[in-house]
Amino acid sequence: MRFPVLDGWRGLCALFVALFHFNALGHFYLVPFVRGSYLFVDFFFVLSGFVITHAYVGRLKSAPDGRNFLVRRLGRVWPLHAATLIAFIPLEIVKALAISGETAAFTGRFAPSSILSNLFLVHSLGIEDRLTWNVPSWSISAEFLAYITFAALCLLARRRWLVTASAVALSAAGAFVVMGWSDRYVDTSFDFGYFRCLYGFFAGHIVYRLFRAARGAGLSSLPMPGVIEGLSLAAVIGFVAMARGNALSYASPLLFGLVVWVFAFEGGGFSRLLAKRPFQWLGARSYSIYMVHALVIALFHKAAAFLQRLLGQPMFVDQTIEGEEERLISIGIPLVMDSLALAYLGTVVAVASLTYRFVERPGQASFNALLLKDRKRPVQPAVVEIV
């Protein structure tokens, strides 16, 4: 059983996260909902916990099962992560060769010393003192570590009630760490990102258990599904606009968990819209959209810097946004900047469609082939030594 409506949600959320990161001073940039769209990372965590529980909770019964699960999940996330990481290196080489006012190459976020932590997917554990290389990839690190935690939980706990009780404890522990130590409310990444993911991922696990319980109790569809979906959508829009940068953001996994539960029933008009082909196409490429958008932003900034030198006209403005200094692309005409933002999103989707076809899917297939090859390997007869 798939949840196509939730796939559609994933595509929309990936687009809004990409738009949030695009620093271009137009109307879109200042919309409160866009400024809070970083919270959709927590939607990804909740949705991942929901879907992974649905697909694997009854299948992880032995150590080989756990190994196969982790190989499949690594094949799902690592090839594209590695490809985007490597793609940033030529940009730093160009920066080193160019004569410009940019920061020195291979320093700060792009320090070579952080490449290994990125490659080994541990850069959400506080190993680094800042976001590094492909900025959104911290959440891929956190999520893969959550996969390991989930597999260990299923293999050790075994009984369903104990798995569920442990999931509640892990989600609560993640929330406790984030609330106790993060200095940016729920918006923690390279430092306590793993614990933020635990909070959301295992909240998604609990939501799946509640969904199955509702189905088991005979609730095959929600009453007045259109109204409930409409209220859920309004709640998401209002929450994301209001919760950015304050303590309300701690509730993100709880609200998103409720929304995932509602839309898992796939009963209303918005569900029917998300199940249509354009949103399914977008949802299938959501991981690529999420992973390539920082690279596209870097290319747009390079192009703006080149035009600034070529034309002798300023293409950037420094502004303080919500207490932080930001360097924004700006030519002083908001409608032009809005058009640039739309062109950026179009470029992200175009690049994502290429990486989905030539990196993401082949990479996943290669890892799956390793498992198939392992299953086909003949069993060697045991050798009995006589002492």
Side-chain angles (χ1 to χ4, degrees), residues 185-368:
Y185 303 104
V186 84
D187 187 22
T188 184
S189 51
F190 62 89
D191 40 11
F192 301 107
Y194 168 62
F195 295 98
R196 178 181 177 183
C197 184
L198 283 185
Y199 178 20
F201 185 94
F202 285 102
H205 175 95
I206 297 162
V207 169
Y208 179 78
R209 294 294 200 190
L210 294 173
F211 172 74
R212 294 304 303 175
R215 280 290 181 89
L219 185 63
S220 59
S221 62
L222 296 175
M224 297 187 297
V227 173
I228 293 176
E229 286 187 2
L231 291 173
S232 299
L233 182 60
V236 168
I237 294 171
F239 178 85
V240 169
M242 293 187 298
R244 70 189 196 282
N246 59 60
L248 185 59
S249 65
Y250 289 134
S252 298
L254 305 180
L255 174 67
F256 293 146
L258 176 61
V259 172
V260 167
W261 187 85
V262 166
F263 281 91
F265 286 95
E266 303 182 336
F270 192 58
S271 283
R272 289 192 291 274
L273 178 64
L274 289 175
K276 292 187 179 298
R277 182 174 296 180
F279 291 100
Q280 293 302 292
W281 187 92
L282 199 65
R285 289 150 184 81
S286 58
Y287 179 55
S288 277
I289 290 171
Y290 185 74
M291 291 299 288
V292 306
H293 76 264
L295 183 63
V296 174
I297 289 172
L299 293 173
F300 269 66
H301 274 254
K302 295 288 185 189
F306 173 77
L307 288 175
Q308 182 171 269
R309 294 195 301 272
L310 180 66
L311 302 176
Q313 297 292 326
M315 292 287 175
F316 297 93
V317 61
D318 294 325
Q319 284 199 2
T320 301
I321 306 292
E322 297 176 356
E324 294 190 2
E325 191 73 18
E326 300 283 358
R327 191 181 191 219
L328 310 176
I329 300 174
S330 176
I331 60 173
I333 306 174
L335 288 177
V336 173
M337 301 311 300
D338 293 341
S339 299
L340 182 66
L342 293 175
Y344 152 74
L345 287 180
T347 304
V348 168
V349 171
V351 173
S353 66
L354 293 174
T355 57
Y356 174 74
R357 179 178 178 183
F358 295 110
V359 180
E360 186 179 341
R361 292 187 67 187
Q364 189 173 3
S366 297
F367 275 75
N368 290 344

